[in-house]
Amino acid sequence: MRLLRPSFSRLLCCAGLLVGAGGWAAAQEVEVNVVKFTNLRAPNGATGNWLEADLALNVRPAPGSPGLMVSRVRVSLLVGCELPALAGGERRTEYYRADAECVALEAGRTDVRFYLPPEIVKRDQLHGDPKYWQVDVTASGRPQPAGRASASPALANADARKSFQSRASTAAAPNDGLLLPQYLTPF
């Protein structure tokens, strides 16, 4: 019987496989599939329409993750709504932002929803899709790469997204708390 000693090239190959396997944990686990905006009435029969943002996520836990779930998924939504011009004025944009954290998500599709209340929808005359929006996702504290469905078509390139984030970073503060995650609404 002959003893085989591993060659240097075999060791490099095995090391590459280990690094590749370890790199899987850093791969994208949560991806934004679709973002849809809808005006709808509250289920409790209250008057006025809410603006719902439904974010469909595709969840792919890493192999070997506890319970085959992705933990601590934080979803942040930033919305910029162009408002009709006031008498003799220019159009302006109002910015809204909110976060929601899911304790753990199973593999497959998950919907995370945010809402603007009827008073804001009526005041700002919000109907249909906002012109600007962006979704950021982190999983277990790691930012997930942004895909095509993570931002509105008006923010298709990196410069447009950076400009939007810059404007919204200060302009959204007066509206903080108005865009609500689903668990704070009648839905």
Side-chain angles (χ1 to χ4, degrees), residues 17-107:
L17 289 174
L18 290 175
V19 169
W24 178 259
Q28 184 170 5
E29 296 177 287
V30 181
E31 172 184 33
V32 178
N33 260 356
V34 177
V35 176
K36 185 173 71 174
F37 292 89
T38 308
N39 286 83
L40 48 92
R41 292 220 182 256
N44 61 7
T47 59
N49 287 328
W50 293 68
L51 180 64
E52 175 187 71
D54 184 352
L55 288 54
L57 307 176
N58 184 23
V59 181
R60 293 183 307 265
S65 60
L68 288 177
M69 299 178 86
V70 178
S71 298
R72 293 183 23 239
V73 177
R74 177 175 287 278
V75 180
S76 301
L77 176 62
L78 178 59
V79 178
C81 298
E82 270 193 350
L83 307 183
L86 299 174
E90 294 181 20
R91 293 177 70 94
R92 70 182 206 286
T93 304
E94 285 289 329
Y95 298 91
Y96 307 95
R97 61 185 171 199
D99 300 306
E101 185 164 317
C102 305
V103 176
L105 297 177
E106 293 181 347

